[in-house]
Amino acid sequence: MPSTTMRKTEQSRRLQQRAESMIPGGVNSPVRAFRSVGGDPLFVVRGKGSHIWDADENEYIDYIGSWGPLILGHAEPTVLDAIVSAACNGTSFGASTPSEADLAELVLSAFPSMQKVRFVNSGTEATMSAIRLARAYTKRKYIIKFEGCYHGHADPLLVKAGSGVATLGIPGSAGVPEEFIMFTVALPFNNLSAVEQAFQKYKHQIACVIVEPVVGNMGCVPAADDYLVGLRLITERERAVLIFDEVMTGFRVAFGGAQELYNIKPDLTTMGKIIGGGLPVGAYGGPKEIMDLVAPLGPMYQAGTLSGNPLAMAAGCAMLKQLRDRKAEIYPRLEKLSAELVEGVASGARDAGVPLSHNRVGSMFTWFFQQGPVSDWDSAAKSDTEAFGKFFGEMLERGVYLPPSQYEAAFLGAAHTEEDVQKTIQAAKLSFAAMRKK
Ligand SMILES: *Cc1c(COP(=O)(O)O)cnc(C)c1O
């Protein structure tokens, strides 16, 4: 953090102290605590479009967007209206409501690889269930995941995970018995021969390969050319299930997610974030042949008291309808504005002599504080996280809110303006200059 804080921070600090006395670290999700960047986490009291305001009335341009869901910006009117009108009819029934099929229809029409979908309450539940389903379908035990990919916090997936696990610099989690992860094989991302070798070693025992088709959880790391095609070919040959974890990339990198962008059909897809319109939703889906194993049709059990919640379904429907109706305008504009932002900041770093490399796919991006290139966890981990922490703090002082970790992707949304982007580039130039002075 900058040595002198010009922003007012008393209210946020007071709220953090109060929260810390009752909630571990004062937060309900670890990265929010700013531990890897230092300084006081801000308490947000409101958001509108691309901007948020904290408890001290500081205004920021927001590049987190609730970690991805808010691709249309904060307090988007049609999403708010949908939530309010749904709420007026009651918040939850524990029985089916018509909006569940409405959201299912929107999701399935955007993702032709899926014939059926089941809604859950988070991305974690979606991937946990997809893994269980892949095991039920193949009657095999082993799963392959990749180092630096994050698929939520279910036990078998907390192995060399990205996101907060990478941010905190820990390999996995305490409280996960060795026996629970003995069937998890963690391999380097973007390396097909490692996958081939694992399939040799565990012949006919690998149930599935789960991958973020564009990784967002070790910072943004795209798949190399032919990597995803390679995973598709290998899993097909070995009769293993290919799971695209599109919790972050679904409706983000293209309307139809990474599978549309790269034209590859996985067997199962997991989703979350954008499909909930800012409310808690996750989903998993695929062909009927696999999905019909899910209870009550089949023997794979999965349930949820609040699953398919009418408020969350309404928010998701409003969000996806807008994205569908405006996709020809929204996605090209996100591409253009994100390119301008990411390259503008990178060129500021070059001018200031700050080593910086960058990865971007559509409106998902990361500036890595190193020469790069970054293509897997080993290369991402070479980043100068201290320099990132300083940059983060300098940007915050200048009214720009970036993810408080080198290993989390940032997002631009449809509410961001040319002016936001220019202000951010300017703030970055001043931040690089300030970093050099210290
Ligand atoms: C965010 C994320 C998850 C976990 O979703 P939660 O809703 O936080 O449980 C899983 N996979 C990916 C790729 C994610 O980005």
Side-chain angles (χ1 to χ4, degrees):
M1 292 293 280
S3 42
T4 50
T5 292
M6 303 303 291
R7 283 179 307 139
K8 279 192 275 164
T9 57
E10 293 95 77
Q11 294 306 322
S12 278
R13 190 168 300 163
R14 182 182 59 79
L15 290 164
Q16 174 66 12
Q17 277 164 2
R18 173 166 188 255
E20 273 176 13
S21 67
M22 297 177 280
I23 301 171
V27 293
N28 286 305
S29 197
V31 181
R32 295 179 196 170
F34 281 26
R35 286 295 162 96
S36 72
V37 289
D40 301 307
L42 44 100
F43 276 66
V44 181
V45 293
R46 96 180 170 272
K48 184 69 202 160
S50 57
H51 290 223
I52 56 170
W53 287 262
D54 70 15
D56 294 281
E57 281 298 310
N58 299 301
E59 180 174 351
Y60 306 89
I61 305 171
D62 175 31
Y63 289 102
I64 299 182
S66 187
W67 301 96
L70 301 182
I71 192 167
L72 296 176
H74 295 276
E76 203 283 325
T78 64
V79 175
L80 285 190
D81 281 353
I83 295 171
V84 170
S85 32
C88 290
N89 291 325
T91 55
S92 180
F93 306 100
S96 293
T97 56
S99 56
E100 291 160 65
D102 292 341
L103 188 61
E105 199 169 51
L106 284 160
V107 169
L108 296 182
S109 66
F111 284 73
S113 71
M114 295 161 62
Q115 292 174 318
K116 286 193 177 177
V117 61
R118 169 62 67 81
F119 292 113
V120 292
N121 300 295
S122 67
T124 295
E125 281 184 60
T127 58
M128 182 178 81
S129 309
I131 297 274
R132 185 181 303 142
L133 181 55
R135 283 172 161 158
Y137 178 69
T138 57
K139 304 194 169 68
R140 298 173 179 179
K141 290 180 183 165
Y142 283 86
I143 64 173
I144 290 178
K145 78 170 289 289
F146 300 102
E147 296 167 5
C149 285
Y150 179 71
H151 305 291
H153 62 87
D155 285 346
L157 291 166
L158 278 181
V159 180
K160 299 196 174 159
S163 189
V165 182
T167 300
L168 299 173
I170 52 181
S173 171
V176 178
E178 238 176 89
E179 291 84 352
F180 284 27
I181 52 172
M182 63 189 277
F183 298 115
T184 302
V185 181
L187 302 176
F189 183 66
N190 268 335
N191 180 338
L192 282 177
S193 56
V195 178
E196 289 285 14
Q197 280 164 25
F199 272 100
Q200 284 306 314
K201 185 167 173 195
Y202 303 100
K203 199 89 192 135
H204 307 309
Q205 296 177 77
I206 294 173
C208 65
V209 173
I210 184 167
V211 64
E212 289 183 67
V214 176
V215 188
N217 287 294
M218 53 176 143
C220 177
V221 179
D225 280 355
D226 295 339
Y227 179 66
L228 297 172
V229 174
L231 292 181
R232 179 66 284 182
L233 291 174
I234 296 169
T235 46
E236 227 157 49
R237 187 190 70 211
E238 302 291 338
R239 298 177 184 286
V241 172
L242 178 62
I243 305 174
F244 272 10
D245 181 357
E246 298 231 38
V247 170
M248 190 182 284
T249 53
F251 299 95
R252 164 65 61 182
V253 296
F255 183 67
Q259 49 197 274
E260 176 189 299
L261 186 65
Y262 301 121
N263 192 25
I264 298 171
K265 268 193 183 174
D267 301 302
L268 292 178
T269 300
T270 55
M271 286 192 216
K273 300 194 169 122
I274 290 177
I275 64 164
L279 270 68
V281 180
Y284 63 102
K288 284 196 192 87
E289 186 197 353
I290 306 181
M291 291 304 291
D292 285 351
L293 290 178
V294 178
L297 289 185
M300 193 293 265
Y301 193 73
Q302 181 273 311
T305 301
L306 293 172
S307 292
N309 174 265
L311 270 59
M313 297 294 109
C317 284
M319 178 83 109
L320 297 193
K321 272 185 200 153
Q322 276 223 52
L323 290 174
R324 179 194 64 195
D325 297 344
R326 295 172 53 205
K327 70 180 172 193
E329 161 221 332
I330 287 178
Y331 292 96
R333 183 173 172 277
L334 286 178
E335 169 69 29
K336 184 174 159 286
L337 217 51
S338 305
E340 187 180 329
L341 171 67
V342 171
E343 281 149 33
V345 169
S347 102
R350 258 192 314 277
D351 294 345
V354 174
L356 193 79
S357 75
H358 57 88
N359 283 339
R360 180 182 70 82
V361 176
S363 54
M364 259 175 87
F365 53 87
T366 299
W367 295 289
F368 290 100
F369 280 75
Q370 59 160 299
Q371 299 290 359
V374 176
S375 59
D376 58 11
W377 172 245
D378 283 350
S379 49
K382 290 190 183 121
S383 303
D384 181 347
T385 51
E386 210 171 298
F388 173 84
K390 284 188 189 139
F391 178 68
F392 170 85
E394 294 289 349
M395 292 295 272
L396 202 61
E397 285 304 308
R398 292 175 177 82
V400 178
Y401 185 45
L402 297 171
S405 164
Q406 174 73 92
Y407 304 118
E408 301 280 4
F411 304 99
L412 192 133
H416 286 88
T417 61
E418 179 67 38
E419 191 193 348
D420 288 334
V421 166
Q422 288 309 324
K423 275 191 182 161
T424 306
I425 294 172
Q426 198 52 34
K429 286 180 178 163
L430 294 169
S431 296
F432 291 135
M435 287 166 69
R436 288 195 50 179
K437 283 193 205 110
K438 280 167 195 159

